[in-house]
Amino acid sequence: MAAPGENMRVNADRLWDSLMDMAKIGPGIAGGNNRQTLTDADAEGRRLFQTWCDDAGLSMGVDTMGNMFMTRAGTDPDALPVYVGSHLDTQPTGGKYDGVLGVLAGLEVVRSLNDLGIRTKHPIVVTNWTNEEGARFAPAMLASGVFAGIHTQDYAYARKDPEGKTFGEELKRIGWVGDEEVGARKMHAYFEYHIEQGPILEAEDKQIGVVTHCQGLWWLEFTLTGREAHTGSTPMNLRVNAGLAMARILEMVQTVAMENQPGAVGGVGQVFFSPNSRNVLPGKVVFTVDIRSPDQAKLDGMRARIEAEAPRICEALGVGCSVEAVGHFDPVTFDPTLVTSVRKAAEDLGYSHMNIISGAGHDACWAAKVAPATMIMCPCVGGLSHNEAEEISKEWAAAGADVLLHAVIETAGIAE
Ligand code: HGY
Ligand code: MN
Ligand code: MN
């Protein structure tokens, strides 16, 4: 006896072809992507997605943060939509699947419903959130954060990239300032399908991650002030060395994270030296510490220790020290009913699965503030992500999309 809807599956080749076609836009230098938010490449990727959605019979709405909402009508006009989203923007040396898989799998769900001739009670809205990565404009998940009322739009519009360009100017420049009030939309439910970006599912040989939680995050931006001086003629005892202070803070962050094992991470991905000249000791060093944990006490405890110890390290070297929290969300618990619908879909489809906590942050973390939300994950090779060598298999991609299809149908309801 076939399980309910066992025959309902996505078109794996069509999903894979769409992923490969999107990957041609904003190519990286090593086989991945550099399609950073609000660049011309982002604009080109948005237009391609819009064309595909138009071909699938979806109607587009865009809000003032450039979030794209592509609607497939339901039979009940009063029913709140089921949203299925993620992001098309990438890291500067990003992979082809981070975020993109979730947006294009959402489109594939709609394409498959069209093929199957299924009408749902609730509308379905495939969503592309602006600036999930936070690489060009901190913080991450900026536009979904404004949508959820975490940030004001003025704050978001004023965020600057390393060249001093603002989010608002760049959104306007690429022509994607929509007319919808951001956050006005109400959701019946929100699903996000995403690669794991970690090693667990592949190591455990599981096809599906049933995401129950997402770990919390702090991004602490440190500004250290030293004294610019000649690296050759300045005696060691006369140096005010902000670079050395930064190195000692990075070592301390590593120690704090290791002392909070298991279930804690800490590190630094971005550093700016000024004047960044080989033979000038830096007058200013700016860097962002990224700490995360699923445990609230550990997360906040690590922040407290780092913010207490960094000034002491700097004082010992005569270096000025200031810190600003430029990104934050607490650990997230996803909606148990939706989590169950994901697990049931995996079981109905015969896919191996396990509960998992998301190590990376996602727009679902903010969607969960305003609606029942959850995530589905597929493995990625070696757990590698935020790297152009990020890789998944077509089978992994399709299995998660099948689960998404079933969970969305379960939640949106098949019209009589
Ligand atoms: O930082 C994150 O976890 C996400 O990739 N923006
Ligand atoms: Mn992502
Ligand atoms: Mn990412």
Side-chain angles (χ1 to χ4, degrees), residues 87 98-99 132-133 194 197 361-362:
H87 61 94
D98 172 1
E132 187 281 338
E133 289 294 357
H194 205 288
Q197 299 183 291
H362 304 282

Side-chain angles (χ1 to χ4, degrees), residues 2 35 95 122 164 166 168 179 224 243 250 254 260 280 294 308 315 329 332 343 347 350 359 367 373 376 387 395 412:
R35 192 172 55 245
H122 292 260
T166 69
D179 55 7
L224 308 189
L250 265 58
Q254 174 76 11
N260 279 275
V280 179
E315 192 178 349
F329 56 87
V332 176
R343 188 177 297 111
E347 284 162 359
I376 301 163
N387 182 307
E395 292 69 31

